C-alpha cells in the first residue's frame, strides 16, 4: 500500500459495499517521495498507529465519519484506551481504488471514475496549513501577501497564518502535483472540492486543539478520503508525525526532522532527487526514480536512536499516556536539537 505501512485485505470491497482490512505500521520511513529508506526506526510504527488511533477516535467523537474500526491488542479489536501494549495494527473499512491509466505524465481520470462508481478512494490529498515553517513548499509558490500576511518577504522563522490555507495535490501520480481548484474538482469526481475542503477544515481544527493540549504547535497536515454512497469519510491515517508537521518549543517534532537532516548531511542525494523529478517532468516520464543515479546512505545508529525517542516520546505526550518506555518529550527534543 505504501512504503511505511503494510496492507491486509480481510474482506474485499465491492461496488456497493465497503470491505474490511488492516494497516500494519512498520518501522520504515520515507522522505522526498523516495519510498523505503535504508534504515528502520524502532517503535516508529507503533507510535504512528497510536497517534492515528487517538485522532480517529477524536474525530468520531466529534461527529466526523472515518474508516477506522479500532486497533488490535492481543489478537482482539479494541480502542486505544483499552490497549495493554503499543498497537501496530489498525482495523479499517476498505473502499475501491480503480486503475488510473496514464501515458507518461498524462493520467486518465475519466477512466478512473468510470470504474469508481459510488465507492472509491478519492485520488487527492487535501492539505491544510496553519503555519508556514522554514522549508515549507508554500514559500516557493506564494508570497506572504497572497495569503493575508502583512510582510514583504518570508522571514527566517515559522510564520503563523491568519486563517488555514487549504490546497489539493494528486495522490496516485508518480510524483505529487499541486492542483488548482478546478483541476481538483474534476479529479475528485462525485466527492467535490467544497465538501472535501469543509471536511479538511474540521479535521484540522480537531487535531490543532488536541495538539495544543499536549503543548504542540500543529503547523500543517493532510487528509485522504473515501467516497461511499454519497458520503465522505476520512481514510488512510491522520494527525501523525509522518502525515502532519508539529513543533514543540520551536523544535520540529515530525518527519520534517529527517527531511532537514538529509538536506544537511546528504545534499548530493537530495539534489539528485530534485533533478530527477525535474527531468521527468520535462521529458514526460512517470517514473522519476529511474532517472536518479544517487542512492541514500544509511543513518548513524545515534541518529536512529534519537529519532526513535522522538517518535515514542511525542506519541506518549500526544495520547496523554505512557505507552512507550522512553525519555520525556523535553529530553527527546533536546537530543534532536543536537543532531
Amino acid at each position: 500500500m505504501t512504503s511505511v505501512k503494510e496492507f491486509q485485505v480481510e474482506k474485499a470491497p465491492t461496488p456497493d459495499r465497503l470491505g474490511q482490512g488492516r494497516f500494519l505500521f512498520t518501522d520504515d520511513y520515507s522522505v522526498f517521495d523516495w519510498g523505503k529508506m535504508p534504515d528502520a526506526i524502532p517503535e516508529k510504527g507503533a507510535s504512528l498507529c497510536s497517534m492515528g488511533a487517538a485522532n480517529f477516535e477524536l474525530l468520531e467523537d466529534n461527529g466526523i465519519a472515518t474508516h477506522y474500526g479500532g486497533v488490535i491488542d492481543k489478537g482482539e479489536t479494541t480502542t486505544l484506551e483499552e490497549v495493554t501494549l503499543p498497537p501496530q495494527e489498525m482495523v479499517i473499512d476498505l473502499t475501491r481504488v480503480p486503475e488510473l491509466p496514464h501515458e507518461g505524465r498524462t493520467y486518465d481520470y475519466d477512466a478512473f471514475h468510470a470504474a469508481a462508481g459510488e465507492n472509491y478512494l478519492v485520488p487527492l490529498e487535501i492539505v491544510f496549513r496553519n503555519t508556514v515553517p522554514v522549508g515549507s513548499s508554500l514559500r516557493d509558490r506564494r508570497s506572504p501577501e497572497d495569503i493575508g500576511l502583512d510582510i514583504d518577504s518570508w522571514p527566517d522563522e515559522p510564520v503563523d497564518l491568519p486563517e488555514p490555507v487549504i490546497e489539493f495535490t494528486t495522490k496516485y501520480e508518480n510524483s505529487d502535483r499541486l492542483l488548482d481548484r478546478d483541476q481538483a474538482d474534476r479529479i475528485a469526481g462525485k466527492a467535490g472540492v467544497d465538501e472535501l475542503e469543509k471536511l479538511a477544515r474540521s479535521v484540522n481544527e480537531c487535531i490543532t486543539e488536541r495538539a495544543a493540549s499536549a503543548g504542540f504547535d500543529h503547523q500543517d497536515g493532510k487528509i485522504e478520503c473515501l467516497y461511499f454512497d454519497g458520503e465522505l469519510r476520512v481514510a488512510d491515517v491522520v494527525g501523525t508525525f509522518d502525515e502532519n508537521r508539529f513543533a514543540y518549543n520551536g523544535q520540529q517534532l515530525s518527519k520534517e526532522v529527517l527531511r532537514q537532516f538529509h538536506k544537511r548531511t546528504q545534499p548530493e542525494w537530495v539534489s539528485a532527487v530534485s533533478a530527477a523529478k525535474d527531468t521527468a517532468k520535462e521529458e514526460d516520464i512517470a517514473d522519476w526514480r529511474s532517472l536518479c543515479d544517487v542512492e541514500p546512505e544509511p543513518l548513524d545508529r545515534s541518529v536512529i536512536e534519537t529519532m526513535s525517542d522522538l517518535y515514542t516520546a511525542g506519541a506518549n505526550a500526544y495520547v496523554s499516556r505512557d505507552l512507550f518506555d522512553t525519555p520525556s518529550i523535553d529530553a527527546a527534543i533536546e537530543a534532536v536539537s543536537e543532531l
Side-chain angles (χ1 to χ4, degrees):
M1 180 73 173
T2 73
S3 58
V4 298
K5 293 195 297 291
E6 296 178 1
F7 185 56
Q8 178 180 336
V9 177
E10 297 180 340
K11 183 172 70 175
T14 69
D16 57 2
R17 185 196 68 208
L18 293 172
Q20 189 173 68
R22 297 185 188 185
F23 281 144
L24 172 60
F25 291 75
T26 74
D27 291 336
D28 298 321
Y29 80 97
S30 173
V31 288
F32 305 116
D33 302 322
W34 181 260
K36 184 178 178 179
M37 295 289 282
D39 307 289
I41 299 173
E43 297 191 291
K44 171 182 177 285
S47 300
L48 300 189
C49 185
S50 300
M51 289 185 70
N55 284 317
F56 277 133
E57 291 171 12
L58 174 67
L59 296 182
E60 294 280 359
D61 288 345
N62 282 272
I64 297 173
T66 78
H67 75 160
Y68 174 73
V71 290
I72 300 297
D73 183 57
K74 296 181 178 179
E76 300 293 330
T77 303
T78 186
T79 65
L80 184 66
E81 183 180 2
E82 298 298 323
V83 298
T84 57
L85 295 170
Q88 282 193 271
E89 291 186 74
M90 179 182 292
V91 177
I92 55 171
D93 291 328
L94 300 181
T95 187
R96 299 187 305 149
V97 183
E99 181 182 357
L100 178 58
H102 68 92
E103 293 185 9
R105 293 171 58 89
T106 301
Y107 292 81
D108 188 349
Y109 285 98
D110 290 337
F112 178 95
H113 285 293
E118 295 277 340
N119 186 7
Y120 65 95
L121 194 63
V122 179
L124 292 172
E125 294 184 352
I126 304 93
V127 179
F128 40 81
R129 305 183 188 277
N130 306 310
T131 302
V132 187
V134 176
S136 170
S137 62
L138 190 68
R139 292 177 179 239
D140 299 326
R141 295 182 279 100
R142 301 179 69 176
S143 69
E145 295 91 339
D146 287 342
I147 51 178
L149 294 169
D150 190 22
I151 52 177
D152 296 328
S153 60
W154 292 110
D156 294 330
E157 64 268 350
V159 180
D160 291 332
L161 294 171
E163 293 290 337
V165 170
I166 308 296
E167 296 182 308
F168 302 88
T169 68
T170 56
K171 174 171 174 57
Y172 292 122
E173 298 182 9
N174 279 29
S175 186
D176 294 341
R177 180 166 56 99
L178 185 69
L179 305 166
D180 63 32
R181 197 174 185 85
D182 288 341
Q183 290 172 321
D185 198 34
R186 184 179 69 83
I187 290 175
K190 296 179 180 179
V193 294
D194 289 342
E195 287 303 309
L196 288 167
E197 178 176 344
K198 180 180 178 181
L199 182 57
R201 291 186 182 278
S202 297
V203 172
N204 180 35
E205 183 177 352
C206 287
I207 294 174
T208 299
E209 291 178 358
R210 177 62 175 265
S213 70
F216 297 168
D217 176 25
H218 180 218
Q219 297 180 333
D220 60 41
K222 67 177 179 66
I223 60 170
E224 299 175 18
C225 300
L226 68 82
Y227 179 86
F228 174 65
D229 196 25
E231 179 186 47
L232 282 172
R233 303 187 189 185
V234 181
D236 195 53
V237 185
V238 294
T240 77
F241 297 138
D242 276 11
E243 278 77 23
N244 298 53
R245 270 193 276 212
F246 300 89
Y248 181 77
N249 290 340
Q251 170 64 52
Q252 278 294 320
L253 180 62
S254 66
K255 191 170 70 172
E256 184 63 20
V257 173
L258 285 166
R259 292 191 191 98
Q260 296 303 321
F261 183 80
H262 281 84
K263 285 183 179 180
R264 294 194 308 271
T265 62
Q266 298 191 48
E268 297 86 359
W269 172 66
V270 174
S271 295
V273 166
S274 179
K277 290 180 178 180
D278 289 343
T279 300
K281 184 175 182 179
E282 292 169 1
E283 298 182 5
D284 196 28
I285 298 172
D287 182 13
W288 63 266
R289 273 195 59 173
S290 65
L291 306 175
C292 189
D293 57 2
V294 181
E295 296 281 328
E297 296 293 329
L299 299 172
D300 290 341
R301 173 53 54 183
S302 61
V303 177
I304 294 173
E305 292 172 353
T306 297
M307 290 305 304
S308 178
D309 288 345
L310 182 69
Y311 275 99
T312 54
N316 276 353
Y318 191 84
V319 305
S320 300
R321 184 178 171 191
D322 290 332
L323 283 173
F324 300 91
D325 182 11
T326 190
S328 68
I329 184 63
D330 291 289
I333 286 291
E334 183 178 357
V336 165
S337 68
E338 296 173 356
L339 286 179

